[in-house]
Amino acid sequence: MKIEQFEDKGLAHYSYAILSDCAREIVLVDPARDPQQYYDFAKQHDAKIVCVLETHPHADFVSSHLEIAQQTGAVIRVSKLLGAEYAHEAFDEGDSFMVGKLTFRALNTPGHSPDSVSTVLSREGKDVAVFTGDTLLIGDVGRPDLREKAGNMTAKREELAKQMYHSTREKLMTLADDVLVYPAHGAGSLCSKATNSANSSTIGAEKTGNYALRPQSEEDFVKELLADQPFIPKYFGYDVDLNKAGAPDFAPSIAKVPRLDADAPLAAGVVVVDTRPEAEFKKGHAAGAINIQQGGKFETWLGSIVGPQESFYLLAADEATLTDLIQKTAKIGYEPLIKGALVGTSSTQETMPEIDVEAFRQHPENYTIVDIRNASEVKAEPLFAGALNLPLPELRERVGEIPAGKPVVVHCAGGYRSAAGSSIVAPALPGTTVLDLGEAVESFQTAGAAH
């Protein structure tokens, strides 16, 4: 037996291939959008993919479960509660199947979603591992507030939080302490508040080290779990629906993205996502362009700023970066929304001035300060008295709340988000100077990490 973990750092996502040595057969758990890594694994081990398990219809990424099933003949197993629109076998509590000497059995563990299923892997009668999806993470549990308007079932966040309390205690914590825990996400995922960077654990270690598993009342658990959850990106509900239906094949879908010449005219009214470094962007860009820089979490911020009902142009500094960004865009299922992808920018008519940091430091009262960090970050470390807090995911909708009349300074915690934020604010306040504090914000901080 071999358990292979695949990591997508940008989305803090883990997927798995479980190989039966004797049967030369593979079971996949929560595969990412690009299936090639799983095909390579199967070829490397001269094995056949026979099953894809989806722990739930994911909100933060698009799965390749349908493509893999159609390419390999593997069966997809999901909870009947999910309401899957593709061919599948129901896999709920009481159900199990064997691959070689390995047994996979389902545990319904609602909480993150109503249709969440954890899968226990046993070998010759002994439980070895449990694949917990977004139910039990390392040092945390999944957030229970993502499905109120999405998916086949709806549930209020408090009801899901109560279900999480019972799923963890009555299902997962009853497993043996040495059972390995393999979650679908690590630190940095917006599917939880998790900060532990470990990629696996054991039931015993989680019982002693996970705050969500300590002895406490259901009421206290619900209150603590629902407090200070991260924001919900615009694309989450879209991805739930896409995963429930099954996404189009990865490679053919990204091949359909229109490629444009650098000087191609851009249609008016269409969002322009300019991914070039902020210094280049500020020297010249198309009117109204949003500067979402190439980076480790590009896809998350794209799906947080641009909604799934919008189309957009995608601009990159070079061809290799553009190809990479199209693939990242496909990870959240946004590739059909790209109206055109091009290297460079078709216009440099708009510029943004550099901030005089010392002048700002001496007289911050002369500026309107816009803090685009999340409310929980502001609460943990307020930086400027009187700053207007408009979190980046809400900024396009709330930019009208920023008063004109004084220069505007936009800041986040490290400079990445403020580049995007200032590019959103500037065209909304014509005639007002808009400045990006950028990385200089760190000289005003007493603690905290860059974002």
Side-chain angles (χ1 to χ4, degrees):
M1 180 186 71
K2 179 180 179 62
I3 300 174
E4 184 80 3
Q5 183 183 61
F6 301 86
E7 180 181 13
D8 181 323
K9 291 184 181 297
L11 292 171
H13 165 225
Y14 298 124
S15 56
Y16 301 90
I18 302 99
L19 168 69
S20 165
D21 293 311
C22 60
R24 313 311 300 173
E25 292 181 338
I26 294 168
V27 174
L28 299 179
V29 180
D30 294 333
R33 179 73 191 278
D34 184 353
Q36 190 58 50
Q37 59 190 332
Y38 313 111
Y39 298 157
D40 292 343
F41 179 83
K43 184 178 181 180
Q44 177 187 353
H45 293 279
D46 190 26
K48 178 179 175 57
I49 299 171
V50 297
C51 175
V52 182
L53 292 171
E54 287 283 281
T55 56
H56 63 294
H58 307 280
D60 61 317
F61 73 95
V62 174
S63 174
S64 58
H65 55 286
L66 181 58
E67 177 176 358
I68 292 171
Q70 292 174 337
Q71 293 293 324
T72 67
V75 61
I76 304 172
R77 289 184 168 92
V78 298
S79 170
K80 64 184 178 184
L81 301 175
L82 189 152
E85 298 171 14
Y86 46 79
H88 66 281
E89 288 187 10
F91 190 56
D92 291 285
E93 197 140 337
D95 296 332
S96 63
F97 66 95
M98 292 192 69
V99 174
K101 297 178 181 178
L102 308 179
T103 300
F104 297 80
R105 75 173 188 274
L107 296 176
N108 285 108
T109 49
H112 175 67
S113 67
D115 39 30
S116 290
V117 170
S118 296
T119 299
V120 180
L121 168 64
S122 304
R123 188 173 187 274
E124 298 179 340
K126 176 176 171 53
D127 292 346
V128 175
V130 58
F131 300 90
T132 54
D134 290 17
T135 301
L136 178 61
L137 306 177
I138 309 306
D140 202 354
V141 293
R143 64 191 298 181
D145 59 343
L146 299 178
R147 297 297 196 281
E148 293 176 20
K149 297 179 181 178
N152 184 51
M153 298 179 66
T154 59
K156 294 180 179 178
R157 59 205 302 260
E158 290 84 2
E159 293 174 358
L160 281 172
K162 292 178 181 177
Q163 291 177 347
M164 180 67 82
Y165 179 84
H166 293 283
S167 290
T168 50
R169 284 154 177 77
E170 297 167 11
K171 304 288 182 65
L172 296 174
M173 290 174 70
T174 63
L175 298 172
D177 283 354
D178 63 350
V179 170
L180 295 165
V181 175
Y182 287 118
H185 286 296
S189 167
L190 289 171
C191 289
S192 76
K193 296 183 284 190
T195 58
N196 192 316
S197 60
N199 59 359
S200 65
S201 183
T202 65
I203 290 293
E206 291 308 299
K207 284 180 181 176
T208 58
N210 190 324
Y211 82 92
L213 302 189
R214 73 175 185 272
Q216 61 182 323
S217 69
E218 179 188 271
E219 182 181 1
D220 289 343
F221 173 87
V222 170
K223 184 178 180 180
E224 184 171 25
L225 180 57
L226 294 179
D228 297 326
Q229 285 288 358
F231 68 94
I232 301 173
K234 293 181 172 70
Y235 77 94
F236 268 27
Y238 169 82
D239 274 19
V240 169
D241 290 339
L242 190 53
N243 281 318
K244 184 182 160 192
D249 291 358
F250 176 74
S253 193
I254 62 175
K256 292 179 182 176
V257 173
R259 298 295 190 106
L260 305 180
D261 294 332
D263 58 353
L266 306 184
V270 178
V271 175
V272 177
V273 176
D274 189 331
T275 67
R276 294 176 300 147
E278 54 91 14
E280 291 183 39
F281 178 87
K282 289 181 172 63
K283 290 177 182 175
H285 56 268
I290 303 173
N291 187 205
I292 309 176
Q293 300 173 79
Q294 158 72 317
K297 293 190 175 298
F298 167 81
E299 56 272 46
T300 296
W301 289 113
L302 173 66
S304 300
I305 295 170
V306 179
Q309 76 284 359
E310 302 178 278
S311 63
F312 59 91
Y313 291 106
L314 185 64
L315 281 58
D318 55 65
E319 188 63 39
T321 302
L322 185 62
T323 298
D324 179 58
L325 290 174
I326 292 173
Q327 293 175 350
K328 286 184 174 179
T329 300
K331 285 168 28 180
I332 62 169
Y334 266 27
E335 76 279 7
L337 307 181
I338 302 176
K339 187 174 180 63
L342 60 154
V343 172
T345 176
S346 61
S347 173
T348 57
Q349 67 187 48
E350 298 294 331
T351 60
M352 293 184 67
E354 290 188 15
I355 187 171
D356 183 335
V357 177
E358 288 310 310
F360 172 66
R361 192 187 306 277
Q362 293 299 320
H363 296 286
E365 71 277 8
N366 291 342
Y367 302 81
T368 297
I369 303 173
V370 180
D371 184 341
I372 61 170
R373 295 177 297 166
N374 300 325
S376 58
E377 295 176 271
V378 178
K379 180 181 177 182
E381 186 185 20
L383 287 178
F384 300 104
L388 183 61
N389 180 212
L390 299 176
L392 180 57
E394 305 170 16
L395 188 56
R396 289 177 69 200
E397 292 76 21
R398 299 180 60 189
V399 69
E401 298 177 25
I402 302 173
K406 292 197 295 187
V408 173
V409 171
V410 180
H411 81 84
C412 58
Y416 180 88
R417 283 176 289 178
S418 62
S422 57
S423 72
I424 292 170
V425 174
L429 295 177
T432 297
T433 300
V434 176
L435 302 163
D436 174 14
L437 187 55
E439 295 180 0
V441 70
E442 296 177 15
S443 67
F444 295 87
Q445 294 169 331
T446 55
H451 296 279

